[in-house]
Amino acid sequence: MNVSDVVGRAARRRASWSWLDSKRVMEELAGRCALDLDWDWEAPEGWGSLRRGNEDEAIVSGDLPLCVTLAGSPTARAAAELGCEVITVSSWVAPELSCSPEVLGEAFGHPEGFSSMDVEEFSGQDLWFATV
């Protein structure tokens, strides 16, 4: 699934989004969906993880209105209602995503992680690792 449009929309909305907006979304998703939130408030990280038990159910960007979530999770709809662009994945490790390098650069800059990531075939976990 090509996510260039979704990631591009999130990147274009960056100017009107802050880590406080991301914090609000993460806290609201945790409450609405009965999830545990893992994010360092003192040094805002690139992504906050919303977990059910030991498993990530969703991740929310600390810089962009962007949420990546497991398909079928209530977090997908809730994140959209809270103003996020949403990418759904069947699993965190399935290489089912693609995105243009230009859009990834616009959204995340050019982290070193992109040098080893295949932009034609990557997983939600790959995106997370490349941009943390």
Side-chain angles (χ1 to χ4, degrees):
M1 163 182 36
N2 190 301
V3 296
S4 296
D5 289 342
V6 176
V7 174
R9 282 193 307 271
R12 288 187 295 277
R13 294 179 49 213
R14 170 184 278 126
S16 62
W17 194 263
S18 73
W19 76 270
L20 289 172
D21 293 310
S22 292
K23 179 180 185 287
R24 175 188 54 82
V25 168
M26 290 179 214
E27 289 174 337
E28 183 74 20
L29 287 175
R32 279 192 198 185
C33 302
L35 298 168
D36 295 319
L37 174 56
D38 180 16
W39 197 46
D40 184 351
W41 306 116
E42 298 300 316
E45 299 172 332
W47 294 93
S49 297
L50 293 150
R51 310 184 115 216
R52 189 171 309 282
N54 292 331
E55 300 293 322
D56 284 341
E57 191 160 319
I59 57 174
V60 176
S61 171
D63 301 316
L64 301 168
L66 182 64
C67 175
V68 182
T69 184
L70 291 174
S73 169
T75 57
R77 182 178 184 160
E81 290 171 357
L82 293 167
C84 282
E85 302 294 335
V86 178
I87 297 169
T88 58
V89 294
S90 65
S91 85
W92 291 109
V93 296
E96 59 194 0
L97 304 174
S98 64
C99 189
S100 87
E102 295 79 19
V103 170
L104 287 171
E106 177 187 357
F108 300 105
H110 298 282
E112 274 187 39
F114 286 155
S115 64
S116 61
M117 188 175 93
D118 180 355
V119 298
E120 294 299 321
E121 194 172 79
F122 61 91
S123 68
Q125 188 176 58
D126 294 333
L127 180 64
W128 181 84
F129 277 121
T131 58
V132 286

